[in-house]
Amino acid sequence: MQYRLPIGQGIEAGIDFLVEHLSFATKAISVVVESALRMLENGMIAVPEPVFIAVCGALVWWLARDRRLSLFAIAGLALIWNMGLWEATMSTVALVLVATLFAIMLGIPLGIFASVNTIAYRIIMPVLDVMQTMPAFVYLIPAIPFFGLGKMAAIFSTVIFSMPPAIRLTCLGIKQVPYDLVECAEAFGTSRWQRLIKLELPLARSTILAGVNQTVMLALSMVVIASMIGAKGLGGEVWKAIQRLQMGRGFEAGIGIVIVAIILDRVLQKAGKRGNQP
């Protein structure tokens, strides 16, 4: 009989060990994050729909300076309201915002660290390669033993899934800073910290924002998948439609997801381009 490497058993034993010894921390994190998420979600739902749509349209215009995009945001959100998907959309947007915030808070510092430390770069990049080729559904598996079914598990899996672009593009942006500018800064006696803050990060801004954009898009796609473990929102509406064979309702929820994705993507792209203008 051919010997089989106990890879699966080893991973299960590792997860069981972490669940047993980190349960106090995961419970505390779960309470804090779910409370913050609930407050954000309730706050967004409490705003009257017409007011929220008008504010979103104005915010999109202010960030992107694009009248057509602003009108699209107003029309798209009005359509979502009309389809009766308002609360589900607010739930999805709140989940994406919270998960993206955590992914960026972890991803950008790791990207900076990988760009300035060769050993860290050699460790982090292969890990990112594995993370980016792993099927999205696999990330749902470790989230359940740590946090159980629900929104916290969805946030955990979404953060892990969406973080790689923030790390990779932050590192790439800093590494692409022209070497003659780095030499010039060193000639003026700048410290490593000053060079990073005053030269490399400003020049890498557009690449870092591209990473943030990709992180948001991946977070949105993962939040939809995470409806299978209780994330609810628009993904939950799609999941319910599949279970009940309600094709029309499923497509309506899909249209809602597309509208949210287009608004977030275009706004981040336009905001990034505006930031590069002198």
Side-chain angles (χ1 to χ4, degrees):
M1 181 178 176
Q2 188 178 1
Y3 176 72
R4 180 180 173 184
L5 292 171
I7 296 173
Q9 292 91 327
I11 292 172
E12 280 189 25
I15 291 175
D16 288 343
F17 177 83
L18 291 174
V19 169
E20 185 179 344
H21 292 86
L22 296 177
S23 59
F24 68 95
T26 56
K27 283 178 184 172
I29 292 170
S30 183
V31 169
V32 172
V33 174
E34 284 188 357
S35 300
L37 178 66
R38 201 176 303 116
M39 284 176 61
L40 177 61
E41 201 176 311
N42 291 339
M44 291 168 69
I45 292 172
V47 179
E49 289 86 349
V51 175
F52 192 97
I53 292 170
V55 170
C56 270
L59 189 62
V60 168
W61 182 85
W62 181 70
L63 289 170
R65 292 289 194 274
D66 188 327
R67 191 175 56 186
R68 286 183 299 178
L69 182 58
S70 178
L71 290 173
F72 173 80
I74 292 171
L77 292 173
L79 178 62
I80 287 172
W81 181 26
N82 179 263
M83 291 190 294
L85 294 168
W86 188 257
E87 289 193 10
T89 303
M90 294 301 105
S91 175
T92 296
V93 171
L95 251 171
V96 169
L97 289 177
V98 172
T100 303
L101 180 66
F102 280 109
I104 290 171
M105 284 170 58
L106 293 169
I108 290 181
L110 279 173
I112 293 172
F113 186 49
S115 70
V116 300
N117 187 299
T118 306
I119 296 173
Y121 179 85
R122 289 177 179 168
I123 294 171
I124 290 173
M125 289 303 144
V127 174
L128 294 183
D129 291 339
V130 174
M131 289 173 71
Q132 290 187 296
T133 50
M134 189 75 75
F137 289 96
V138 175
Y139 291 103
L140 302 179
I141 298 170
I144 296 170
F146 280 119
F147 299 102
L149 294 173
K151 294 192 174 182
M152 188 57 222
I155 290 174
F156 175 80
S157 53
T158 302
V159 169
I160 301 298
F161 180 72
S162 63
M163 194 168 47
I167 301 173
R168 197 182 287 280
L169 289 176
T170 300
C171 178
L172 179 67
I174 293 173
K175 282 184 171 292
Q176 283 182 334
V177 173
Y179 187 66
D180 52 347
L181 291 179
V182 175
E183 273 191 327
C184 185
E186 287 175 346
F188 279 99
T190 55
S191 65
R192 185 69 190 87
W193 182 251
Q194 288 173 321
R195 203 172 76 219
L196 178 69
I197 298 296
K198 295 184 177 179
L199 175 70
E200 292 171 337
L201 285 178
L203 289 177
R205 185 174 182 273
S206 60
T207 311
I208 294 171
L209 282 175
V212 171
N213 185 3
Q214 290 299 306
T215 299
V216 173
M217 291 298 104
L218 287 179
L220 183 58
S221 66
M222 190 63 191
V223 161
V224 173
I225 294 171
S227 63
M228 295 171 66
I229 57 170
K232 299 183 180 175
L234 288 172
E237 295 296 323
V238 174
W239 184 237
K240 279 193 290 187
I242 292 171
Q243 291 175 317
R244 299 172 186 174
L245 290 177
Q246 296 174 330
M247 290 180 286
R249 189 63 176 169
F251 273 102
E252 284 181 349
I255 291 169
I257 293 165
V258 171
I259 290 170
V260 173
I262 290 174
I263 294 171
L264 291 174
D265 180 55
R266 297 295 187 276
V267 167
L268 287 169
Q269 281 188 19
K270 298 273 185 182
K273 286 178 183 173
R274 276 187 59 208
N276 292 330
Q277 292 173 357

